[in-house]
């Protein structure tokens, strides 16, 4: 028996999930951000957001001067 046989099958790609703590909804938007104290100016980190949390996450990042832009997820991003 192989320990990996106990893991669920990964045949189908899983949907991208919202980054808001405790949320398990499918993400529809991506928020690009960086922390200028530790990242180079061209570096972009990405948080994913469902429709219910995009404004909250954007406000969180903007209030800390970390937000760069918000973009819709493309079909290739959601897999």
């Amino acid at each position: 028996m192989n320990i990996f046989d106990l893991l669920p099958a990964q045949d189908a790609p899983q949907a991208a999930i919202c980054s808001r703590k405790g949320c398990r909804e499918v993400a529809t938007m991506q928020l690009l951000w960086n922390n200028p104290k530790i990242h180079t100016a061209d570096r972009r980190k990405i948080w994913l957001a469902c429709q219910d949390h995009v404004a909250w996450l954007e406000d969180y990042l903007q209030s800390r001067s970390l937000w760069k832009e918000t973009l819709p997820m493309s079909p290739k991003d959601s897999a």
Side-chain angles (χ1 to χ4, degrees), residues 18-21 31 47-50 52-63 67:
C18 180
S19 297
R20 176 75 163 104
K21 185 176 181 179
L31 292 88
W47 278 356
L48 304 177
C50 66
D52 291 340
H53 293 120
V54 67
W56 189 95
L57 290 166
E58 192 172 286
D59 182 59
Y60 179 91
L61 292 169
Q62 286 178 346
S63 68
W67 179 84

Side-chain angles (χ1 to χ4, degrees), residues 1-78:
M1 178 174 186
N2 185 332
I3 191 167
F4 296 111
D5 293 335
L6 301 173
L7 297 173
Q10 296 292 321
D11 296 335
Q14 298 196 357
I17 302 298
C18 180
S19 297
R20 176 75 163 104
K21 185 176 181 179
C23 184
R24 305 304 334 144
E25 295 297 317
V26 174
T28 58
M29 302 293 285
Q30 49 187 344
L31 292 88
L32 281 60
W33 64 279
N34 83 345
N35 183 340
K37 292 180 181 177
I38 60 174
H39 301 130
T40 60
D42 61 332
R43 170 93 187 262
R44 292 294 180 266
K45 305 275 291 178
I46 300 173
W47 278 356
L48 304 177
C50 66
Q51 283 303 119
D52 291 340
H53 293 120
V54 67
W56 189 95
L57 290 166
E58 192 172 286
D59 182 59
Y60 179 91
L61 292 169
Q62 286 178 346
S63 68
R64 289 156 178 78
S65 300
L66 304 176
W67 179 84
K68 297 302 177 191
E69 74 181 306
T70 300
L71 302 170
M73 296 214 21
S74 67
K76 70 174 184 73
D77 294 328
S78 59

